[in-house]
Amino acid sequence: MKAIVVADQAAGTAGMTLAERPQPEAAGNDVLVEVHASGFTPGELEWDTTWTDRLGRDRTPSIPGHELAGVVCALGYGTRGLSMGQRVFGLTDWTRDGTLAEYVAVEARNLAPLPADLDFTVGASLPISGLTAWQGLFVHGRLQPGQSVLVHGAAGGVGSMVTQLAREAGAYIIGTGRAADRQTALDIGAHEFVDLQDDSLEDVGAVDLVFDIFGGEIQKRSAGLIRAGGTLVTIAGPPDWPADGLAIDFVVEADRAQLSEIAQRVREGRLRTLIGNVATLDDAVAAFNPTERVKGKTIICVRP
């Protein structure tokens, strides 16, 4: 099968190639998926799990990418909950070969049925952004109607999902980002927008929940805005602790029920994904390392 392969961590994207790799087999509790569309995270070549297995052993050459939409074409021993020929989407294990390939072996529990009225490109754009937003808001942040939420990167892949889901849940949304992102953030549900270059973040005042994707100085300043009993959730590393609140750093996990909730909202027009670029597997190396900023998520269309 054709796949994007990385073999040299020091080389980064310069060491990324399109190559022929053996087609994987479905182990126990796995399914083999014929990949139709795939998503990736630009920074994943910096993750230890891209280069090692669950026991910390080298597993190069590796195939990156962890989001997919496709069709089940084989079932491993003992696999339940999915069937041959079923359309699926989901999030693969961090320590196994990924989805920038024509086929991928995935634990069945990491996948959810993809409704017939959602195309594969949309399906592949949802898992990381959608699950990160869902888990940060409702599992870790315990968002309640009427609360105020400061959403960093509100027009980005994760931030746009956070903004929409929090707005639907009855929260008051203050989005942040670049000046060029203001209208997008407002269009998808933010009540206010803070330009992090020209506006004062501290003018926001006290909020119930901060959803941080930046870390660093922005995270530190945001921690000071949490009102008593509030929460800072982050995907950007060890958090600064609010004076009178909670701080949670989390890594997104696959969850079939949550994926189904997200897909249902997309079907009903209550949630939309921002796709900025669609490229073929042949062009995936260039798409992984763009020469200019892409607004929205890049999706690799593995099959026409």
Side-chain angles (χ1 to χ4, degrees):
M1 69 172 185
K2 291 198 299 183
I4 299 300
V5 173
V6 292
D8 184 351
Q9 187 170 8
T13 55
M16 182 180 285
T17 59
L18 180 65
E20 285 291 330
R21 294 291 296 156
Q23 182 173 308
E25 296 182 356
N29 300 313
D30 279 356
V31 294
L32 183 67
V33 178
E34 179 185 75
V35 180
H36 284 246
S38 172
F40 60 84
T41 302
E44 64 185 77
L45 297 192
E46 300 172 10
W47 303 346
D48 290 341
T49 51
T50 298
W51 309 98
T52 58
D53 65 14
R54 291 181 181 178
L55 298 178
R57 301 171 299 195
D58 180 84
R59 65 177 183 89
T60 57
S62 307
I63 299 171
H66 293 284
E67 297 170 282
L68 82 153
V71 176
V72 175
C73 60
L75 302 175
Y77 178 78
T79 298
R80 296 180 179 181
L82 298 174
S83 58
M84 289 284 292
Q86 188 170 15
R87 302 170 87 248
V88 292
F89 75 119
L91 179 64
T92 67
D93 193 300
W94 307 117
T95 55
R96 295 174 64 175
D97 277 344
T99 62
L100 290 175
E102 293 180 311
Y103 295 90
V104 64
V106 189
E107 286 190 75
R109 64 179 181 173
N110 291 350
L111 301 173
L114 180 67
D117 53 355
L118 291 185
D119 65 40
F120 292 114
T121 301
V122 170
S125 74
L126 295 173
I128 287 182
S129 297
L131 288 173
T132 299
W134 188 281
Q135 292 166 19
L137 287 172
F138 305 126
V139 178
H140 302 296
R142 301 183 182 276
L143 181 66
Q144 299 297 316
Q147 290 186 323
S148 54
V149 184
L150 179 63
V151 182
H152 287 307
V158 172
S160 63
M161 291 286 185
V162 175
T163 298
Q164 293 174 83
L165 289 172
R167 177 68 183 253
E168 184 189 46
Y172 185 87
I173 315 302
I174 305 160
T176 80
R178 305 168 186 244
D181 296 330
R182 180 186 299 273
Q183 195 56 52
T184 299
L186 295 174
D187 288 346
I188 61 174
H191 296 88
E192 301 178 31
F193 184 84
V194 176
D195 175 357
L196 290 175
Q197 291 179 308
D198 295 326
D199 298 335
S200 172
L201 181 60
E202 285 66 28
D203 287 347
V204 166
V207 297
D208 297 296
L209 177 64
V210 171
F211 200 116
D212 170 54
I213 64 168
F214 295 136
E217 183 63 23
I218 294 295
Q219 183 195 95
K220 183 176 181 179
R221 292 165 61 192
S222 299
L225 301 176
I226 299 290
R227 63 168 43 102
T231 305
L232 183 148
V233 294
T234 182
I235 57 172
D240 280 272
W241 203 274
D244 297 307
L246 298 175
I248 300 168
D249 174 29
F250 75 99
V251 176
V252 63
E253 298 178 349
D255 187 291
R256 180 179 292 174
Q258 293 170 10
L259 284 168
S260 296
E261 289 279 2
I262 291 162
Q264 186 62 28
R265 282 163 171 75
V266 175
R267 295 180 68 203
E268 295 172 354
R270 298 150 59 196
L271 182 67
R272 63 187 175 100
T273 181
L274 302 181
I275 298 174
N277 181 33
V278 178
T280 65
L281 190 60
D282 290 340
D283 295 327
V285 173
F288 204 103
N289 192 29
T291 56
E292 57 187 38
R293 183 180 180 235
V294 176
K295 197 170 183 178
K297 190 167 184 69
T298 295
I299 297 298
I300 304 303
C301 187
V302 179
R303 285 177 170 79

